[in-house]
Amino acid sequence: MNSSRKSSQTLEPPVSLHLENFVAGLEELGVSSEFVEGRDFREVNQRLLKTFFTPTKKATGKWVHRGFRWHSYSYGHQVVDSGHQARAAYNEQPVTEFFILHEPCDGLLKCVAGEWPDVCRFADDLYVFPCLFQWLFTTTHEQGYGPYFAKACA
């Protein structure tokens, strides 16, 4: 038996350096987080899509338009608040336990904080939403787009 090989059962799933840096940045903002993985990740992601992106699915036949969920807003498949109105709506929400989906890294975090974190500072494709899925705050990697604030689809 080759002792230099590690058992695949003992390896942790890889976490990208980008995602680790993001988590460290959240910690600086006073956010405690834990990764959501496997079946729980899939269930939260599916509920997110059904709760906020059904109009995109109806319009395009796909849950995600042109590679990013937020394209649902920038391509007009849904009318939502954007810019200063979106930030104001986000900050007005009562602070509860929440999720952050980091789209480029396909990472999901369950979070707790004393106030809503200023996720716009990360300039990345992020989706912040309470565990009850009532609303969604979205930031993008592209300057001039977003942030966006959406209520759950009826």
Side-chain angles (χ1 to χ4, degrees):
M1 179 176 204
N2 183 348
S3 61
S4 65
R5 290 185 61 180
K6 292 183 180 180
S7 166
S8 62
Q9 295 174 337
T10 62
L11 295 178
E12 291 293 317
V15 175
S16 75
L17 183 58
H18 185 71
L19 193 56
E20 286 180 0
N21 290 338
F22 173 67
V23 170
L26 287 176
E27 289 173 0
E28 290 174 10
L29 297 175
V31 178
S32 298
S33 65
E34 62 183 37
F35 286 100
V36 178
E37 298 173 325
R39 181 178 178 184
D40 292 336
F41 172 89
R42 290 186 299 277
E43 288 175 358
V44 170
N45 187 52
Q46 190 61 36
R47 184 171 174 195
L48 174 71
L49 292 170
K50 287 182 178 179
T51 303
F52 296 102
F53 297 98
T54 298
T56 303
K57 174 74 170 167
K58 288 179 181 175
T60 68
K62 296 181 180 181
W63 290 106
V64 178
H65 184 62
R66 301 186 70 120
F68 297 99
R69 289 166 179 83
W70 62 267
H71 281 172
S72 178
Y73 311 135
S74 64
Y75 281 84
H77 298 299
Q78 290 177 254
V79 177
V80 298
D81 289 338
S82 63
H84 296 296
Q85 289 177 323
R87 282 179 193 252
Y90 170 63
N91 288 315
E92 289 170 1
Q93 303 307 309
V95 180
T96 63
E97 193 172 42
F98 59 99
F99 293 106
I100 299 179
L101 175 67
H102 190 289
E103 191 169 38
C105 293
D106 208 22
L108 181 66
L109 302 167
K110 190 169 190 179
C111 304
V112 179
E115 62 185 15
W116 293 115
D118 179 14
V119 293
C120 294
R121 70 186 285 225
F122 296 106
D124 221 335
D125 304 311
L126 304 172
Y127 303 82
V128 180
F129 52 102
C131 292
L132 296 178
F133 293 79
Q134 302 102 314
W135 53 264
L136 177 66
F137 182 71
T138 304
T139 66
T140 77
H141 69 277
E142 289 190 31
Q143 190 172 3
Y145 289 93
Y148 300 105
F149 184 87
K151 298 270 186 171
C153 297

